Structures are given as structure tokens and as C-alpha cells.
Amino acid sequence: MPEPEGEPAGSPPPAPHQRPPHRGGVLLDAPAVRRWSALALAALGRAREDIDAINVYPVADGDTGTNLYLTVESAAQAVEAVFAAHETGATRPALSDAVRAMAHGALIGARGNSGTILAQLLRGMAQVLTTPGDEAHAAHADGPLLARALRRAADSAYGAVAHPVEGTVLTVATAAADGADAAGAADCAAVARAAHDAALAALGETPRHLAVLARAGVVDAGGRGFVTVLHTLVEALTGEAPARPGPRPRGDLVGPCAAAPADHTPGEADTEGPAYEVIYLLDAEDAAVDRLRGRLDALGDSLVVVGGDGLWNVHVHVDDAGAAVEAGIEAGRPHRVRITHFGAQTAARPDAAQPPRERAPRAVVAVVPGEGLAELYAQGGATTVHARAGEPPASGELAEAIRRAHAHEVVLLPNDPELRHTAAAAAEQARGDGIRVALIPTRSAVQGIAALAVHEGGRRFDEDVVAMTSAAGATRHGAISVAERQSWTTAGICQAGDVLGLVDGDVAVIGTDLTDTARTVLDRMLSAGGEMVTLVLDDEVPEQVADVLERHVRTRHLAVDTVVYRGGRQGSPMLIGVE
């Protein structure tokens, strides 16, 4: 298994290893969980493409490594948030705080079959490490408790999968628990190392359980990812990565970290099965989820339902994606719904009969808040990443979009000030792949529209970036939103339901009517001059609102043009740009 060599951009460096002064040896505490999550993210970032390349089961869609990376990225961010919340206090997070955050972050960010199972593995561990009333382990866990956590992890993962299959990550996780149990009363370092070694050995045997792996000459991709996670747990506890495995006996089918053969590409294994992958978070009671399992099991396969305490992550492969979502609506409140068409994924990849697609000289990647804007940006030649309300994309998603653009040079438009650090981390990841990336700090989608309008792929990269940056910087941005609760703003106290007019990110107007508030915002933005007004309206905003605002600009501000776009469901009723 590749040894961790450092952190991806944007990830906090693990703290130096310190063994707790305890006669029982190395213990697992909150700082160790923090180191573990950061190291796991770094290791999966490096192994992502290799794991993607050996992904042939349950669907040969070549994204297991990416899904595991995005899942752990969400887990690591949740752990960092816990530590950030304690920075101003006198206490540091307890072990229960850290492991609960790691499990919850993985649950809400889980991607694909493998990421969903990993989330349940972490949740199973957290259930043992956060046992209420167990004050002896409030600050740390010893070796036997860690072994119990790994056993619970394996058992709960089996319980989450509708039809468990041997030769997958489930087999590897069970072997890890067996290895941990065999370590006896050893400290956490020895237990983690025993679990890792047993999992590594089981990984090498996965092709003996699954014929599809044997035919492709690879090990299970999800299992390899879990071994990587255990590998970094050992390093987090000891400060040293486990030694690489030695040569395997002659005649073995594959090594435990085998990559795919040179003539193998994702998609060439068995491809029959449902057409769609459906994933969503679900707010629901246990009884409703039990009924949901039965419905989804009848609709498709690869069913995994993880979580509890009212929040669940649902994953299933089906032919009728709508029916899978409707089943979730009957059970509770589904959100963060993601539907992936496997055929589209496979078609996007080169196969053995086609030469690899050549990279384009230059591309633009942009984060957009709605489907309408995504279509508009796509018409301008941009690769888009959809940002749902309250669900900003992770750096791994942006980095994957940069790779998907398949260009030597990429201009990245985050279109949100909150995404500045995330976008910078994604750019660094892509630069590590040899892609030249320029980040233009656009703060709104309307600034991105202005930048895209002056983009010219034929000129020098630096000149293009300067022109796009200048166009974005010359565009003031505003928005109309609706207050969700009473709060203080730069314009005074607002009440729930008030219409808020924002200018350059600050609340400038508090009103009661959307059209009147938008008129006031436009007048303020145009008071310093302007040549072009861009309005991006949510689909729920009536057409007559755009007509009224266009007339207002035409009569009150001479020689100013107005262009109107429909942004789809974009999270706020209106975005405003003034160039």
C-alpha cells in the first residue's frame, strides 16, 4: 500500500506524534483522530487514480477512489470544525467529539457504494468509542476498546448492506476486526497494526471470492481503500507508516496493492445491471427506513442504507431513479439527491477501441448555483460544478471537474467568496497532476459570467487570465434573498420572511416586497455608473418581475442595457450584476 507522504493543499498538517503518558502504551485520543483523518485524506488523494483504475465491482464505473476521497474529505472537514470550535476555549475536544464528527462528516458526504460503506464503518467505530456513561474512555481509548470498535464497524457494515457479498470491503473489514481481536490486550498501536496487516492479507485474497476481480486481475477497489485508511490509522498512532509488504509467493493471482493490467480499463468487466445510481440523505424514523429498505430492494440492487438517529444515507442502483426518490419521500425528507447515469459515465471514458482523447489547450471550470446557469456557462464552453443551497462543493469535486475538463490549462471560477480556500486547494491538487490552473476570485456567478464573456482560448494564458480577472473585478454583484430568521445585518435587524437586498456581499436594504427591494438595490448599484445590468432569476420568480425591473433601468438609468437569465433553482430569488 502506498505510504502517506504529506498533505494535499488545504488540509491541516497532522500534529507531531506524541505518545500519551500512560502505562498501557499508545492510546487513541482526539488529536490522534485528527491526525488520522488528515493522513487518510492525503493517502486517498494520492491513491485515488490507482483505486479508480481497479474499480470493476459492483459497477465498473472507475470512481471508487474518487468517492472514497470525497467521503473522507467531508469527514476530515468535520473533525477540523470541532477543533476550530475549541480554539478559543480552555479545553480541547474529547475523543467522543472527534470520532462522532468524523463519522457524521463521512455520513453526510458519503459518495458511491464504497463511500457509503466506509461511512458506516466509521459510524460503527464511533458507537463504541462514544458509549454514554463510559467516563474511563472520555479522553482516550485503549487497545481492547479499539478492537471492539473495529468489530462493531465490520458488523454494522454487514448490517447496512442489503445483500452482503464476500470478496468486497466487507470481507476486508471483518479480517481487520479478527486481526484486532487477535492482538489481545495490546495498546492501540499494536491493535491498529494487527488490523491493518490482517486486512492487507484479506485484500490479496479478494479475487478468490469474486470471479469478476479474478478475470480483471485486480483486488477489490473498496477493500484497497479501506486498507489505506487503516494504514494511516497506524501512522497517526505511531508516527510511522507500516512497512510495505514483501514479495508475494510465486503463482499468486495479484498482490495486495495490484493496479489494473495495462490493457484493462474501467467498463470492460461485467456491465449488465441497473442504469442509475441514486444517493440521498434522508431525515426519517427507524420504522420508515425499515419499510424503505424493502421497497428499494425490490427496485434495484447494491442497496446500502447507513446512519441512524433520524439521519440516513441511502444508496441504491436502479433503472427507475424517480421511483427510488419517491420511496424516500414516502419515508421522510430526502435531500442532497444525486443521480448518476452509469451509461454516461462509461461513455465519457476511453475504451480499448478508441485512442485517448487529446487534451484541449485551455478550459474554464465554474461553480454555478442553478441548472439554468449551468446551461448558460456550458454554452460558453465551461465545465460546471453545481453548488446546491447550503451544500458547497468540496475541493475534491472541484479538482475532479478540473481533470474532467481535460485541458493543459484551466481557469477556475469559484463564484463564491466562501469557496476561496476550497478552490485554492483544488487548484493545488490539479497542479500536482501537471495541469496549469489559474484561480480567479469571483465572488458571484454574475462576475463569472462577465469573466467568461471575455475569455479567449487563442491568446496567451496569462493575458487571458488578466482579461477575465479585470472583467470580473469591474462587475459589482448584488442579490435578493429572503431572511430565514431574525438576525442583525449591516442594514439593521431583519425578521424572518423579510426581503434582503445585498450589494457586494453586505445587506444594504431590508424590505417586504421582492420587486421594490430589487429596484432599490439596482439604484444603489447604478449610482456609481454602469453600462450593463445582468439579472439572474430563480425559476419561481414571476416573469413580470423581470419586465418591471427592465423598464425601471431603462427609464431611470439612460444608456444602460439589461440582460435577463433564468438560473433554475439557485438558492436565492435573484442575482444582480452591474458592469
Side-chain angles (χ1 to χ4, degrees):
M1 191 64 56
E3 297 183 15
E5 299 167 353
E7 305 303 312
S11 297
H17 173 70
Q18 294 181 345
R19 294 193 178 208
H22 187 274
R23 65 182 181 180
V26 179
L27 302 173
L28 178 69
D29 58 8
V33 173
R34 187 187 195 185
R35 292 193 297 273
W36 180 26
S37 64
L39 285 168
L41 180 61
L44 286 171
R46 289 189 301 275
R48 181 189 63 81
E49 290 186 353
D50 288 342
I51 296 175
D52 283 346
I54 63 172
N55 173 200
V56 299
Y57 183 86
V59 176
D61 49 353
D63 64 356
T64 291
T66 299
N67 287 336
L68 287 170
Y69 176 84
L70 294 174
T71 301
V72 172
E73 182 178 45
S74 180
Q77 288 173 345
V79 173
E80 284 305 309
V82 166
F83 275 84
H86 282 74
E87 283 181 355
T88 57
T91 61
R92 71 181 187 182
L95 171 64
S96 59
D97 297 327
V99 295
R100 190 181 296 114
M102 190 175 183
H104 181 73
L107 175 67
I108 64 175
R111 302 296 183 89
N113 190 72
S114 54
T116 307
I117 293 175
L118 177 61
Q120 187 68 4
L121 287 165
L122 293 175
R123 177 177 170 81
M125 292 185 68
Q127 287 174 330
V128 171
L129 299 174
T130 60
T131 302
D134 191 356
E135 299 302 325
H137 298 294
H140 58 257
D142 57 14
L145 191 64
L146 177 58
R148 282 170 46 200
L150 289 168
R151 175 60 64 189
R152 175 72 67 84
D155 291 346
S156 62
Y158 265 96
V161 178
H163 302 284
V165 175
E166 295 304 324
T168 64
V169 62
L170 299 176
T171 304
V172 175
T174 299
D178 292 342
D181 288 341
D187 68 3
C188 283
V191 168
R193 186 175 285 109
H196 167 267
D197 292 348
L200 188 64
L203 177 64
E205 298 298 314
T206 54
R208 303 191 189 283
H209 295 281
L210 272 177
V212 63
L213 301 179
R215 287 196 300 272
V218 298
V219 294
D220 179 65
R224 180 177 173 184
F226 184 59
V227 170
T228 301
V229 172
L230 291 176
H231 185 280
T232 56
L233 174 60
V234 176
E235 184 173 5
L237 289 167
T238 67
E240 300 176 355
R244 296 178 184 272
R248 298 189 56 84
R250 180 179 295 276
D252 252 3
L253 179 67
V254 289
C257 297
D263 60 350
H264 170 74
T265 57
E268 68 181 30
D270 294 338
T271 56
E272 293 184 1
Y276 296 96
E277 177 185 60
V278 178
I279 305 175
Y280 50 80
L281 293 180
L282 179 69
D283 298 330
E285 300 298 325
D286 291 6
V289 172
D290 288 341
R291 293 191 296 272
L292 175 66
R293 290 179 197 268
R295 282 210 54 191
L296 293 180
D297 193 27
L299 285 174
D301 58 28
S302 295
L303 174 61
V304 185
V305 181
V306 305
D309 302 320
L311 179 62
W312 307 83
N313 191 304
V314 178
H315 170 281
V316 67
H317 295 172
V318 293
D319 283 319
D320 189 344
V325 176
E326 288 174 6
I329 294 173
E330 291 180 7
R333 186 180 75 89
H335 48 108
R336 293 201 190 187
V337 179
R338 296 186 180 91
I339 299 174
T340 302
H341 183 225
F342 291 126
Q345 283 191 319
T346 303
R349 292 187 172 88
D351 57 32
Q354 294 179 319
R357 179 167 58 97
E358 288 191 11
R359 288 184 179 273
R362 189 176 307 158
V364 176
V365 173
V367 180
V368 294
E371 296 85 354
L373 277 177
E375 183 177 347
L376 176 66
Y377 272 80
Q379 290 172 357
T383 297
T384 60
V385 178
H386 189 194
R388 298 171 178 83
E391 302 175 25
S395 65
E397 285 184 86
L398 298 186
E400 184 61 25
I402 293 172
R403 298 184 187 101
R404 193 171 70 245
H406 205 62
H408 294 288
E409 300 168 338
V410 172
V411 180
L412 179 58
L413 306 174
N415 293 340
D416 185 339
E418 299 298 323
L419 289 178
R420 180 166 57 91
H421 296 299
T422 301
E428 282 302 311
Q429 292 179 46
R431 290 179 188 125
D433 293 338
I435 304 171
R436 189 180 184 188
V437 182
L439 170 61
I440 297 179
T442 47
R443 300 169 62 84
S444 170
V446 291
Q447 288 189 323
I449 292 172
L452 188 60
V454 301
H455 164 60
E456 291 184 16
R459 60 187 164 198
R460 291 179 55 246
F461 186 59
D462 293 338
E463 293 176 354
D464 197 29
V465 171
V466 168
M468 295 177 72
T469 302
S470 298
T475 302
R476 299 191 70 190
H477 62 95
I480 305 298
S481 64
V482 179
E484 296 181 356
R485 64 185 67 86
Q486 183 188 62
S487 61
W488 289 90
T489 75
T490 51
I493 301 176
C494 71
Q495 306 295 328
D498 282 349
V499 180
L500 307 180
L502 290 81
V503 177
D504 294 333
D506 295 322
V507 177
V509 182
I510 300 176
T512 57
D513 179 77
L514 185 147
T515 305
D516 290 342
T517 304
R519 275 195 289 239
T520 303
V521 169
L522 281 168
D523 289 342
R524 293 199 181 191
M525 295 179 70
L526 287 167
S527 63
E531 298 177 357
M532 170 75 76
V533 169
T534 300
L535 302 177
V536 183
L537 275 59
D538 186 279
D539 281 351
E540 294 186 351
V541 176
E543 193 66 40
Q544 56 265 34
V545 172
D547 296 336
V548 170
L549 296 178
E550 283 189 272
R551 284 198 303 270
H552 179 77
V553 172
R554 187 167 57 250
T555 57
R556 292 286 300 272
H557 305 278
L558 300 179
V560 177
D561 294 326
T562 302
V563 59
V564 179
Y565 299 111
R566 283 290 176 176
R569 298 297 182 89
Q570 60 188 25
S572 66
M574 188 182 308
L575 303 177
I576 303 172
V578 173
E579 299 178 43

